[in-house]
């Protein structure tokens, strides 16, 4: 009984492992465009910049927070002066000390800023804003990856479709060879006509070799970007054709412009805080000669504390010009945004025209393929009876092949144009 149970458990586990391996194997042999986008972003070296920006922001905020802490200063001074304060009277039996011309001072001061707290707050806001700008710049660069992934992905799709069409062409050639062999057996066709078809079949084989080499080149480049092997048997899923395309622009560059505009608002606040008076509590203690008692010429300890006001009036000299420079930078940013929108809309117009052209070409291609296929089938039947030559038959199947190739190219180009449109608009 135990042996039967063990075998049953072993069989269940084996089936589970086989099923998982099969599912994993199947999934690992297929890719879609969205997965390629994500893999490319995760693998791109620039993505490491996010961690560096986070660390930079963390250290910068820590440094800015130090503005809340008391400020400690240590100083010292040794001096010699040409004259000192003296009492210009003389009293009997009273010795009035005189101050030495060489004086010494060593002191330490602790001050707690009060109004600088507003400055620290705006500095933190600026650090956050600048980090957001740099992060969004990374987003913009990563978004540009989509254009390159689209080129490689649809390049492989086009080659795969062409390889399928070449196999269809080979099938037609072999079908013609079979019918031609019947005509040769019946004595109504020359044996050399079979060589013509075989030569054409070899040309089709050469075409397959060329296409596979091109596919490998595209696959190697795509593999480098997504850090996943793209083999000959890897299936790239064909994206759905977009039913409608949104013309509203939703690109990461627009968010970058908005974040940059916010940094100007914070910088404007910092300019205003530079003109405010500074209040702070302070405590100073020291040792020197003289101390606070100017009539004592001995070294002495002393301390002094209170509230201090400092006001840098000269900051008003440059406040207006700094605000004007900030406004100029904002206007420059607005011009850059308008230029970006203008160029993007222009590109969207061109891509929309390309999409309409390809849709019309596909409709015509489909009609041409139907006609060429009808002529080819008729020629195949005529080969048996010797009423058409192998050269004529090859002309017909090559014409059909060219029509199908045109249809394949235009269909993939239409898909690529639609996804380029989506990438350009950011939707």
């Amino acid at each position: 009984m135990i042996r039967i149970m063990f075998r049953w458990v072993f069989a269940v586990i084996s089936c589970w492992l086989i099923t998982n391996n099969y599912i994993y194997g199947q999934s690992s042999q297929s890719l879609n465009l969205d997965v390629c986008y994500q893999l490319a972003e995760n693998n791109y070296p620039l993505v490491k910049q996010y961690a560096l920006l986070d660390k930079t922001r963390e250290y910068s905020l820590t440094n800015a927070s130090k503005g809340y802490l008391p400020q400690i200063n240590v100083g010292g001074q040794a001096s010699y002066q040409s004259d000192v304060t003296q009492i210009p009277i003389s009293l009997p039996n009273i010795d009035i000390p005189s101050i030495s011309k060489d004086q010494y001072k060593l002191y330490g001061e602790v001050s707690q800023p009060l109004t600088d707290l507003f400055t620290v707050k705006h500095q933190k806001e600026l650090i956050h804003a600048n980090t957001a700008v740099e992060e969004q710049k990374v987003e913009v660069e990563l978004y540009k990856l989509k254009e390159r992934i689209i080129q490689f992905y649809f390049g492989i799709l086009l080659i795969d479709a062409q390889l399928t069409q070449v196999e269809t062409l080979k099938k037609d050639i072999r079908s013609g060879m079979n019918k031609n062999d019947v005509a040769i057996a019946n004595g109504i066709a020359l044996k050399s006509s079979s060589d013509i078809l075989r030569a054409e079949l070899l040309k089709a084989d050469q075409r397959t070799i060329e296409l596979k080499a091109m596919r490998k080149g595209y696959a190697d480049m795509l593999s480098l970007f997504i850090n996943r092997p793209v083999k000959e048997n890897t299936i790239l899923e064909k994206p759905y054709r977009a039913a409608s395309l949104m013309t509203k622009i939703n690109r990461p560059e627009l968010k970058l412009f908005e974040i940059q505009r916010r940094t100007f608002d914070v910088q404007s606040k910092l300019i205003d805080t530079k003109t405010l008076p500074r209040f702070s509590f302070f405590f100073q203690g020291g040792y020197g000669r003289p101390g606070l008692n100017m009539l004592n010429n001995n070294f002495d300890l002393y301390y002094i504390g209170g509230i201090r006001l400092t006001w840098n009036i000269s900051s008003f000299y440059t406040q207006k010009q700094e605000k004007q420079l900030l406004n100029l930078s904002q206007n420059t940013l607005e011009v850059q945004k308008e230029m970006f929108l203008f160029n993007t809309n222009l590109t969207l117009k061109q891509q929309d025209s390309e999409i309409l052209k390809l849709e019309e070409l596909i409709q015509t291609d489909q009609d041409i393929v139907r006609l060429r296929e009808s002529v080819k089938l008729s020629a195949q039947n005529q080969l048996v009876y010797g009423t058409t030559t192998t050269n004529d038959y090859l002309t017909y199947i090559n014409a059909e092949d060219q029509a199908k190739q045109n249809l394949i190219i235009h269909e993939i180009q239409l898909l690529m144009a639609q996804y380029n449109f989506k990438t350009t608009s950011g939707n």
Side-chain angles (χ1 to χ4, degrees):
M1 184 67 181
I2 295 175
R3 184 177 296 176
I4 294 173
M5 288 293 295
F6 177 80
R7 288 180 178 177
W8 182 82
V9 172
F10 179 80
V12 171
I13 294 175
S14 299
C15 290
W16 179 77
L17 290 173
I18 292 171
T19 303
N20 274 358
N21 287 334
Y22 175 76
I23 293 172
Y24 176 77
Q26 289 296 102
S27 62
S28 64
Q29 294 300 320
S30 64
L31 286 171
N32 61 54
L33 188 57
D34 290 333
V35 169
C36 288
Y37 285 157
Q38 191 61 48
L39 290 174
E41 288 187 5
N42 294 339
N43 181 57
Y44 201 58
L46 190 62
V47 78
K48 298 176 184 177
Q49 187 77 5
Y50 284 120
L52 298 177
L53 290 173
D54 285 339
K55 281 294 182 184
T56 302
R57 173 172 51 193
E58 180 183 341
Y59 293 147
S60 299
L61 288 174
T62 302
N63 289 336
S65 298
K66 297 296 192 293
Y68 293 134
L69 301 177
Q71 306 299 307
I72 301 175
N73 294 314
V74 176
Q77 179 178 313
S79 62
Y80 182 86
Q81 53 196 61
S82 60
D83 201 358
V84 294
T85 303
Q86 295 180 350
I87 299 176
I89 58 175
S90 173
L91 297 175
N93 301 322
I94 296 178
D95 184 17
I96 300 176
S98 61
I99 305 301
S100 300
K101 294 184 177 180
D102 57 317
Q103 298 183 2
Y104 307 92
K105 182 192 297 184
L106 181 65
Y107 65 91
E109 179 178 299
V110 178
S111 62
Q112 175 61 59
L114 298 178
T115 52
D116 281 358
L117 302 180
F118 300 104
T119 303
V120 173
K121 177 185 175 183
H122 297 323
Q123 285 175 343
K124 286 187 171 183
E125 290 177 2
L126 186 60
I127 290 169
H128 283 294
N130 286 333
T131 303
V133 168
E134 295 303 318
E135 289 178 343
Q136 192 60 27
K137 285 181 179 179
V138 175
E139 286 287 335
V140 170
E141 291 301 318
L142 290 177
Y143 190 81
K144 293 178 182 178
L145 278 177
K146 287 188 174 183
E147 298 176 357
R148 305 177 75 174
I149 298 302
I150 284 174
Q151 292 176 356
F152 300 143
Y153 194 92
F154 283 98
I156 295 174
L157 281 181
L158 177 58
I159 293 173
D160 286 343
Q162 289 176 321
L163 283 169
T164 302
Q165 174 53 30
V166 171
E167 291 303 315
T168 302
L169 174 62
K170 291 179 183 179
K171 183 179 178 181
D172 288 337
I173 295 174
R174 292 190 185 99
S175 177
M177 290 172 64
N178 293 334
K179 294 183 182 298
N180 189 62
D181 289 342
V182 174
I184 293 173
N186 293 330
I188 56 177
L190 298 175
K191 291 183 179 180
S192 60
S193 61
S194 181
D195 294 336
I196 297 175
L197 291 171
R198 286 191 174 87
E200 198 67 24
L201 185 61
L202 290 174
K203 284 178 60 179
D205 289 336
Q206 288 181 332
R207 179 64 177 159
T208 299
I209 294 172
E210 292 175 353
L211 288 171
K212 285 184 177 180
M214 291 173 60
R215 188 190 192 280
K216 186 178 184 304
Y218 277 104
D220 288 344
M221 288 186 285
L222 181 61
S223 177
L224 184 65
F225 272 91
I226 67 176
N227 195 27
R228 177 178 291 187
V230 182
K231 301 179 181 178
E232 186 176 348
N233 60 345
T234 302
I235 300 172
L236 300 189
E237 298 176 10
K238 191 175 181 179
Y240 293 106
R241 186 182 296 185
S244 60
L245 297 172
M246 297 176 61
T247 56
K248 181 181 178 181
I249 299 175
N250 191 27
R251 289 278 293 272
E253 286 88 346
L254 294 180
K255 187 176 180 181
L256 175 60
F257 290 132
E258 178 61 24
I259 296 174
Q260 287 175 322
R261 187 191 62 78
R262 294 175 194 165
T263 63
F264 293 135
D265 295 338
V266 180
Q267 289 176 19
S268 179
K269 294 177 183 178
L270 281 173
I271 292 174
D272 291 336
T273 56
K274 286 166 60 177
T275 61
L276 297 176
R278 290 334 193 237
F279 289 93
S280 62
F281 291 116
F282 76 95
F283 176 85
Q284 183 182 114
Y287 181 74
R289 187 183 72 183
L292 296 181
N293 182 1
M294 298 299 295
L295 297 180
N296 183 2
N297 195 37
N298 297 321
F299 283 92
D300 195 13
L301 293 172
Y302 69 91
Y303 71 88
I304 183 173
I307 187 169
R308 178 182 292 153
L309 166 66
T310 59
W311 196 355
N312 185 10
I313 305 296
S314 61
S315 58
F316 285 100
Y317 301 162
T318 59
Q319 182 190 23
K320 182 178 179 181
Q321 286 75 17
E322 288 178 349
K323 286 289 187 75
Q324 289 175 341
L325 287 173
L326 203 58
N327 288 332
L328 288 175
S329 298
Q330 287 179 311
N331 293 336
T332 301
L333 184 66
E334 287 299 319
V335 172
Q336 291 174 352
K337 180 180 178 180
E338 291 175 6
M339 283 298 299
F340 172 77
L341 290 173
F342 177 83
N343 291 329
T344 304
N345 281 315
L346 183 62
T347 303
L348 288 175
K349 290 288 185 183
Q350 295 171 341
Q351 290 175 341
D352 186 58
S353 299
E354 181 70 11
I355 289 171
L356 293 175
K357 181 193 76 174
L358 289 169
E359 288 175 341
E360 293 177 0
L361 287 175
I362 288 172
Q363 292 179 355
T364 308
D365 287 334
Q366 291 171 344
D367 294 335
I368 294 174
V369 167
R370 282 193 293 268
L371 294 173
R372 292 295 188 188
E373 187 174 9
S374 176
V375 173
K376 178 204 70 177
L377 292 174
S378 177
Q380 276 184 354
N381 294 326
Q382 292 174 7
L383 272 178
V384 179
Y385 304 106
T387 55
T388 187
T389 65
T390 53
N391 287 328
D392 291 338
Y393 177 69
L394 287 176
T395 300
Y396 298 144
I397 64 172
N398 285 330
E400 183 200 17
D401 175 64
Q402 185 61 54
K404 288 183 176 179
Q405 293 280 2
N406 290 338
L407 177 59
I408 290 169
I409 292 172
H410 291 152
E411 285 179 338
I412 300 298
Q413 284 180 340
L414 176 60
L415 274 176
M416 187 174 178
Q418 288 179 335
Y419 277 83
N420 278 331
F421 187 96
K422 292 173 66 175
T423 303
T424 303
S425 63
N427 296 303

